[in-house]
mmCIF file of all heavy atoms in Angstrom:
data_model
loop_
_atom_site.group_PDB
_atom_site.id
_atom_site.type_symbol
_atom_site.label_atom_id
_atom_site.label_comp_id
_atom_site.label_asym_id
_atom_site.label_seq_id
_atom_site.Cartn_x
_atom_site.Cartn_y
_atom_site.Cartn_z
ATOM 1 N N THR Z 145 -5.211 4.412 -3.246
ATOM 2 C CA THR Z 145 -5.367 3.623 -4.405
ATOM 3 C C THR Z 145 -4.775 4.165 -5.742
ATOM 4 O O THR Z 145 -4.280 3.465 -6.626
ATOM 5 C CB THR Z 145 -6.804 3.216 -4.629
ATOM 6 O OG1 THR Z 145 -7.501 4.451 -4.749
ATOM 7 C CG2 THR Z 145 -7.349 2.510 -3.533
ATOM 8 N N VAL Z 259 -8.160 8.103 -2.768
ATOM 9 C CA VAL Z 259 -7.565 7.865 -4.019
ATOM 10 C C VAL Z 259 -6.256 8.670 -4.344
ATOM 11 O O VAL Z 259 -5.232 8.064 -4.599
ATOM 12 C CB VAL Z 259 -8.540 8.042 -5.212
ATOM 13 C CG1 VAL Z 259 -7.864 7.928 -6.519
ATOM 14 C CG2 VAL Z 259 -9.773 7.180 -5.131
ATOM 15 N N ASN Z 260 -6.380 9.906 -4.143
ATOM 16 C CA ASN Z 260 -5.397 10.879 -4.411
ATOM 17 C C ASN Z 260 -4.513 11.437 -3.322
ATOM 18 O O ASN Z 260 -3.639 12.231 -3.625
ATOM 19 C CB ASN Z 260 -5.985 12.036 -5.225
ATOM 20 C CG ASN Z 260 -6.717 11.538 -6.532
ATOM 21 O OD1 ASN Z 260 -6.035 10.912 -7.391
ATOM 22 N ND2 ASN Z 260 -8.002 11.726 -6.664
ATOM 23 N N LEU Z 273 -16.367 13.442 -1.853
ATOM 24 C CA LEU Z 273 -17.151 12.234 -1.787
ATOM 25 C C LEU Z 273 -16.789 11.219 -2.907
ATOM 26 O O LEU Z 273 -16.753 10.022 -2.740
ATOM 27 C CB LEU Z 273 -18.684 12.630 -2.048
ATOM 28 C CG LEU Z 273 -19.272 13.364 -0.719
ATOM 29 C CD1 LEU Z 273 -20.698 13.734 -1.065
ATOM 30 C CD2 LEU Z 273 -19.310 12.463 0.465
ATOM 31 N N ALA Z 274 -16.542 11.697 -4.082
ATOM 32 C CA ALA Z 274 -16.153 10.855 -5.121
ATOM 33 C C ALA Z 274 -14.866 10.145 -4.852
ATOM 34 O O ALA Z 274 -14.692 9.050 -5.120
ATOM 35 C CB ALA Z 274 -15.897 11.715 -6.399
ATOM 36 N N ASP Z 275 -13.862 10.920 -4.210
ATOM 37 C CA ASP Z 275 -12.515 10.291 -3.886
ATOM 38 C C ASP Z 275 -12.729 9.102 -2.882
ATOM 39 O O ASP Z 275 -12.231 8.138 -2.820
ATOM 40 C CB ASP Z 275 -11.762 11.345 -3.299
ATOM 41 C CG ASP Z 275 -10.161 11.087 -3.380
ATOM 42 O OD1 ASP Z 275 -9.745 9.952 -3.258
ATOM 43 O OD2 ASP Z 275 -9.439 12.026 -3.738
ATOM 44 N N LEU Z 276 -13.592 9.446 -1.909
ATOM 45 C CA LEU Z 276 -13.891 8.436 -0.792
ATOM 46 C C LEU Z 276 -14.610 7.160 -1.399
ATOM 47 O O LEU Z 276 -14.231 6.068 -1.019
ATOM 48 C CB LEU Z 276 -14.782 9.081 0.312
ATOM 49 C CG LEU Z 276 -14.050 10.111 1.068
ATOM 50 C CD1 LEU Z 276 -15.247 10.870 2.024
ATOM 51 C CD2 LEU Z 276 -13.031 9.585 1.943
ATOM 52 N N ARG Z 277 -15.604 7.418 -2.261
ATOM 53 C CA ARG Z 277 -16.354 6.178 -2.833
ATOM 54 C C ARG Z 277 -15.405 5.382 -3.705
ATOM 55 O O ARG Z 277 -15.460 4.119 -3.624
ATOM 56 C CB ARG Z 277 -17.581 6.738 -3.629
ATOM 57 C CG ARG Z 277 -18.781 7.146 -2.669
ATOM 58 C CD ARG Z 277 -19.930 7.277 -3.571
ATOM 59 N NE ARG Z 277 -19.860 8.454 -4.384
ATOM 60 C CZ ARG Z 277 -20.442 9.575 -4.224
ATOM 61 N NH1 ARG Z 277 -21.074 9.778 -3.047
ATOM 62 N NH2 ARG Z 277 -20.233 10.674 -5.033
ATOM 63 N N GLU Z 278 -14.730 6.101 -4.559
ATOM 64 C CA GLU Z 278 -13.801 5.477 -5.497
ATOM 65 C C GLU Z 278 -12.768 4.573 -4.854
ATOM 66 O O GLU Z 278 -12.466 3.429 -5.316
ATOM 67 C CB GLU Z 278 -13.269 6.431 -6.568
ATOM 68 C CG GLU Z 278 -12.473 5.733 -7.647
ATOM 69 C CD GLU Z 278 -11.938 6.723 -8.606
ATOM 70 O OE1 GLU Z 278 -12.336 7.912 -8.535
ATOM 71 O OE2 GLU Z 278 -11.063 6.297 -9.322
ATOM 72 N N SER Z 279 -12.180 5.201 -3.802
ATOM 73 C CA SER Z 279 -11.122 4.500 -3.098
ATOM 74 C C SER Z 279 -11.508 3.111 -2.584
ATOM 75 O O SER Z 279 -10.899 2.110 -2.713
ATOM 76 C CB SER Z 279 -10.490 5.359 -1.940
ATOM 77 O OG SER Z 279 -11.498 5.497 -0.961
ATOM 78 N N ARG Z 280 -12.723 3.079 -2.003
ATOM 79 C CA ARG Z 280 -13.371 1.812 -1.490
ATOM 80 C C ARG Z 280 -13.645 0.855 -2.535
ATOM 81 O O ARG Z 280 -13.301 -0.340 -2.403
ATOM 82 C CB ARG Z 280 -14.549 2.240 -0.597
ATOM 83 C CG ARG Z 280 -15.171 0.888 -0.006
ATOM 84 C CD ARG Z 280 -16.346 1.340 0.908
ATOM 85 N NE ARG Z 280 -16.780 0.173 1.606
ATOM 86 C CZ ARG Z 280 -17.810 0.215 2.483
ATOM 87 N NH1 ARG Z 280 -18.354 1.356 2.852
ATOM 88 N NH2 ARG Z 280 -18.163 -0.863 3.088
ATOM 89 N N LEU Z 281 -14.246 1.388 -3.621
ATOM 90 C CA LEU Z 281 -14.549 0.456 -4.654
ATOM 91 C C LEU Z 281 -13.318 -0.196 -5.318
ATOM 92 O O LEU Z 281 -13.281 -1.379 -5.649
ATOM 93 C CB LEU Z 281 -15.370 1.286 -5.820
ATOM 94 C CG LEU Z 281 -16.804 1.725 -5.432
ATOM 95 C CD1 LEU Z 281 -17.388 2.596 -6.502
ATOM 96 C CD2 LEU Z 281 -17.694 0.534 -5.132
ATOM 97 N N ILE Z 282 -12.211 0.670 -5.410
ATOM 98 C CA ILE Z 282 -11.107 0.076 -6.123
ATOM 99 C C ILE Z 282 -10.427 -0.951 -5.239
ATOM 100 O O ILE Z 282 -10.019 -2.000 -5.727
ATOM 101 C CB ILE Z 282 -10.130 1.302 -6.461
ATOM 102 C CG1 ILE Z 282 -10.610 2.116 -7.569
ATOM 103 C CG2 ILE Z 282 -8.691 0.737 -6.781
ATOM 104 C CD1 ILE Z 282 -9.775 3.347 -7.758
ATOM 105 N N LEU Z 283 -10.284 -0.570 -3.940
ATOM 106 C CA LEU Z 283 -9.678 -1.573 -2.996
ATOM 107 C C LEU Z 283 -10.485 -2.815 -3.009
ATOM 108 O O LEU Z 283 -9.857 -3.909 -3.006
ATOM 109 C CB LEU Z 283 -9.710 -0.999 -1.579
ATOM 110 C CG LEU Z 283 -8.471 -0.263 -1.212
ATOM 111 C CD1 LEU Z 283 -8.738 0.372 0.344
ATOM 112 C CD2 LEU Z 283 -7.334 -1.184 -1.054
#
Side-chain angles (χ1 to χ4, degrees):
T145 56
V259 175
N260 296 303
L273 289 175
D275 204 318
L276 293 171
R277 281 193 292 262
E278 186 179 347
S279 65
R280 181 176 184 176
L281 290 173
I282 293 173
L283 261 176

